Structure formats: C-alpha cells, structure tokens
C-alpha cells in the first residue's frame, strides 16, 4: 500500500491511520527498501563506470526467514514452554521465540503485571496500543476500569497477577487469528501452571474459550465456575466480561460486579 504522491501531510496521516498505523516507533523514517551498502552520493561520483552500473541494478531483495508452518510453530511453542522452570525463564524463552509473526509487528512483548504469588490471576486476550508501548498488560482505558473493578473487592495489582493469552499486540488491535492464539497457548498455559493461582479470571469470551476449551460465548459463560487443569492441578476459573466491552456497554457492569463478588466469596472459602 503506497500513498499517492500528491497527498497533503494531513491526508497522509489519515491514510496511515486507516491502514492501522497508530503508533510511532522512531523519530526518523527508515527506508528499508533502500539498497544495502550504497556509497554516499559524493563517493559515488568517483566510482569507476562498472561499479556505477552495478549500482543501478535493483537492490538485492532481502529474504525474510521462511515463516514456520503453524503446526510446527505450535509444537515448538509446546516444547519451549515445557522447558521453563520458572516465570522468569518462561519470559526469557518467550522473548527468544520466533514462531509467532505478531512478534515482528509489536513494539515489545507484554508478559505480565502484578504479583506472581497472588491467589488470583486474570487473563485477557491480547495487548492493545497502550500495553504495546508500556510493555505491561491492561494499562490503557480498559486497564483503568479493571483496576476499579478489582478495587471494588479489595484487590489491586499487588494482590493479583495479570497476563494475556497472546503476549504481542496484533496490528491495528485486530483479533488474533486462531493460529496465533494456538501458537501462544502453550506459553500462557505454562504461565498459569507456574504462577499456580487459586482462582483464574478469564477476561472476555476469547480468553475463556481458549483457556477453558469451551465454545459458548461470554454472555452464557460469565459468572459460571469452570475448572482449568494446569497440568499440575485443577484451578477454579470464572469468565467475566472484558473491561473494554464494559466501556462500550456500561449497563453490563452490574453483571461484572456480580462476577467480582463471586471471586471475593471464593477467595474467602
Ligand atoms: N485488552 C486485553 O485483552 N489485554 C490487555 O492487556 C489490554 C486490553
């Protein structure tokens, strides 16, 4: 997608916004298509004719590493996640993992926030723009609402652990593809196993469907208790509405409030 040359700066910005570009990652634009190792213009003038002729040839195409087939990437993710003996090791392994293409477009990985020893772990779907910039989950508008929901039952980020199914922001905040989700699943599963919370809160339908392996949508499943088998033990799990949904549909907050009360009650049992 190339913008037309006669566009004004304003039109150009609108074009980029519509194309899903909503964050700057550097002060200077980098022309990645420019020929590699081209001498500066002054040096070019003094080059012999044969060398100049070489330079008008198209730049060699940079060959990206062949993307891994999804099945292979899922197997590699399982293998890699299994070897992590601690959350720190898991984070380091995930930083090096190349099997998920989202890593290439994200600014940084968003691993977790909060207290890994907490009794409650909350898992969202994937980072958004603010999370991608800060490298922490739920720090944008929906994160602020999540903080208020937690405060309503006496919790905060020192008493919960927060992560996402997918640790890299999908471009333009699109929904992660089923393949991307499946590739990331072994990592979040291992993260839950290592954190070993007593209660798992799935924030939104995609998180609940992926982690609890269920098909029903969030309206049917929210507020119901499920079991998440971490491989180590059964953990009580409850889906609730995603805070981003609650921002769009504030009337639904009363149901999320009930779910938070269920979490509070379960904590006291
Ligand atoms: N939505 C999510 O699912 N996760 C975040 O971290 C932020 C928004």
């Amino acid at each position: 997608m190339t913008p037309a040359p006669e566009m004004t700066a304003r039109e150009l910005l609108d074009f980029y916004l519509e194309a899903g570009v909503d964050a700057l990652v550097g002060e200077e634009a980098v022309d990645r298509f420019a020929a590699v190792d081209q001498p500066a213009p002054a040096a070019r003038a003094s080059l012999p004719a044969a060398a100049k002729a070489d330079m008008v040839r198209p730049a060699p195409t940079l060959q990206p590493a062949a993307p891994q087939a999804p099945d292979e990437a899922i197997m590699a993710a399982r293998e890699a996640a299994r070897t992590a003996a601690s959350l720190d090791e898991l984070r380091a392994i995930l930083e090096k993992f190349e099997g998920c293409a989202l890593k290439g477009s994200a600014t940084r990985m968003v691993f977790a926030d909060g207290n890994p020893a907490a009794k409650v772990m909350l898992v969202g779907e994937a980072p958004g723009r603010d999370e991608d910039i800060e490298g922490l989950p739920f720090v944008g508008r929906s994160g602020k609402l999540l903080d208020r929901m937690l405060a309503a039952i006496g919790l905060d980020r020192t008493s919960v652990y927060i992560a996402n199914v997918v640790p890299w922001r999908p471009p333009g905040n699109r929904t992660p593809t089923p393949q991307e989700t499946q590739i990331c699943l072994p990592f979040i599963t291992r993260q839950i196993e290592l954190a070993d919370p007593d209660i798992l809160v799935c924030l939104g339908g995609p998180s609940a469907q992926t982690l609890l392996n269920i098909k029903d949508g969030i309206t049917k499943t929210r507020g119901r208790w499920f079991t998440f088998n971490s491989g180590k033990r059964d953990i009580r799990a409850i889906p609730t509405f995603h805070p981003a949904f609650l921002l769009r549909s504030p009337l639904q907050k009363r149901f999320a409030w009930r779910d938070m009360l269920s979490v509070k009650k379960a904590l006291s049992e």
Side-chain angles (χ1 to χ4, degrees):
M1 222 180 333
T2 315
E6 68 279 6
M7 276 182 166
T8 64
R10 174 80 235 174
E11 286 168 337
L12 191 60
L13 279 178
D14 288 343
F15 167 85
Y16 282 129
L17 264 178
E18 275 168 29
V21 179
D22 57 7
L24 284 177
V25 291
E27 292 297 324
E28 299 282 332
V30 181
D31 182 0
R32 299 191 191 280
F33 293 106
V36 281
D37 291 330
Q38 290 256 359
R44 212 178 295 163
S46 61
L47 284 176
K52 279 187 197 160
D54 253 4
M55 288 173 47
V56 291
R57 280 190 212 120
T61 324
L62 296 176
Q63 296 295 332
Q68 216 169 8
D71 285 356
E72 269 177 38
I74 294 170
M75 294 297 286
R78 283 191 193 141
E79 202 50 47
R82 196 176 308 141
T83 60
S86 67
L87 288 167
D88 285 344
E89 272 185 39
L90 185 68
R91 179 197 284 259
I93 288 169
L94 200 46
E95 287 279 14
K96 288 205 204 104
F97 183 69
E98 298 294 339
C100 181
L102 291 176
K103 182 180 181 181
S105 54
T107 311
R108 65 190 90 249
M109 184 178 89
V110 176
F111 185 69
D113 193 18
N115 179 356
K119 287 185 173 169
V120 181
M121 178 168 178
L122 301 106
V123 181
E125 183 181 15
R129 179 177 175 276
D130 298 304
E131 291 75 21
D132 180 66
I133 292 168
E134 287 203 32
L136 291 170
F138 286 98
V139 290
R141 273 186 75 221
S142 58
K144 302 278 176 287
L145 176 56
L146 181 62
D147 287 343
R148 292 203 297 278
M149 289 162 67
L150 291 171
I153 54 165
L155 299 176
D156 61 21
R157 291 190 187 222
T158 65
S159 48
V160 300
Y161 183 56
I162 309 178
N164 282 301
V165 172
V166 172
W168 295 284
R169 180 202 185 196
N173 288 354
R174 67 161 170 74
T175 304
T177 65
Q179 278 170 0
E180 289 159 354
T181 302
Q182 287 308 308
I183 291 168
C184 295
L185 183 56
F187 293 109
I188 184 64
T189 305
R190 183 77 177 135
Q191 197 171 351
I192 299 169
E193 183 181 0
L194 289 167
D196 198 26
D198 290 341
I199 293 168
L200 178 66
V201 181
C202 303
L203 296 169
S207 164
Q209 286 167 335
T210 306
L211 294 178
L212 305 177
N213 198 18
I214 50 178
K215 293 222 164 23
D216 283 338
I218 190 68
T219 321
K220 260 196 167 173
T221 57
R222 62 137 284 276
R224 282 169 49 195
W225 286 98
F226 292 80
T227 299
F228 174 87
N229 186 281
S230 69
K232 189 171 177 180
R233 65 171 175 134
D234 282 348
I235 294 173
R236 300 184 70 191
I238 184 167
T240 190
F241 287 133
H242 193 287
F245 167 75
L246 295 174
L247 286 172
R248 296 191 301 272
S249 313
L251 276 181
Q252 305 298 319
K253 283 185 188 167
R254 56 203 158 135
F255 296 112
W257 169 235
R258 282 187 208 165
D259 303 343
M260 296 315 282
L261 288 179
S262 290
V263 170
K264 187 178 180 185
K265 182 161 177 284
L267 270 175
S268 68
E269 285 168 1

